[in-house]
Amino acid sequence: GNNTKIMSVYIEDYIPVVKYQGLNTTKAIVGTSTLAITGASTFTGVATFTANPVFSAGITPPVLATGLVGGTVVLTAAQSGTILINNATSGTPRWTLPAAAAGLIFYSVTTSTTAGIEFFTGTAAVVRGHTTAAGTVLTSTATTGVFRNTQATAVVSDACTLWCNGTDWYAINQVGIWSVT
């Protein structure tokens, strides 16, 4: 038989560092070493970086497209960072934003000349933006209002980034003609 013995390696204060098939330490890992992780990795809890992470490949954000004519897509906070593509062929699809929370962000683009795009908060939060990139300031009505790039004015590549400060949504990097109700 195989008499191989599995042993744990201990470091100061007798904390097992390698135990069977994993890393187990409550001590900080310090130094200038490089940690390479291959394969798929899942991290749970908060990941804190003390410097900006560097990626050797591009970051691919999630994309959510709608082909619904005048349909509604309800977004969740977990979808923050998603690119919303309006590719409906008519009508004005509505994207219902999640409850306001600091740091949420959504990117939108219109890929059809026959449909607009509309954002709805459905809560006490409002959307603040402009009629055009440098136009008149707009604020939607709380609970019933929308921020809209209408079907009548929409052109391919009309776009908007919506960012939330925790209370309200702000339209930044706008392209196209927008209105509110």
Side-chain angles (χ1 to χ4, degrees):
N2 186 347
N3 289 330
T4 304
K5 191 177 202 180
I6 298 175
M7 296 175 33
S8 293
V9 178
Y10 292 88
I11 60 174
E12 61 186 71
D13 297 332
Y14 302 102
I15 297 172
V17 176
V18 178
K19 186 170 184 174
Y20 310 108
Q21 295 178 330
L23 180 67
N24 179 13
T25 180
T26 57
K27 297 289 186 184
I29 300 172
V30 295
T32 57
S33 299
T34 300
L35 173 63
I37 301 172
T38 58
S41 301
T42 301
F43 298 89
T44 57
V46 175
T48 302
F49 298 92
T50 57
N52 289 332
V54 176
F55 300 94
S56 61
I59 299 171
T60 305
V63 174
L64 184 59
T66 179
L68 301 174
V69 175
T72 297
V73 177
V74 178
L75 300 169
T76 66
Q79 292 172 304
S80 179
T82 297
I83 298 172
L84 309 171
I85 299 175
N86 177 21
N87 58 8
T89 56
S90 66
T92 301
R94 175 181 280 187
W95 301 91
T96 300
L97 297 165
L104 295 181
I105 191 166
F106 292 93
Y107 308 92
S108 70
V109 63
T110 297
T111 60
S112 170
T113 59
T114 58
I117 189 168
E118 162 174 300
F119 294 98
F120 174 63
T121 65
T123 65
V126 297
V127 178
R128 300 175 188 280
H130 292 92
T131 53
T132 62
T136 305
V137 174
L138 300 170
T139 302
S140 70
T141 305
T143 69
T144 61
V146 297
F147 183 68
R148 171 185 301 128
N149 173 246
T150 65
Q151 181 178 347
T153 63
V155 297
V156 170
S157 292
D158 278 356
C160 171
T161 299
L162 288 177
W163 170 80
C164 185
N165 70 348
T167 304
D168 293 325
W169 292 87
Y170 291 84
I172 55 178
N173 301 322
Q174 286 178 237
V175 175
I177 299 172
W178 295 81
S179 64
V180 294
T181 59

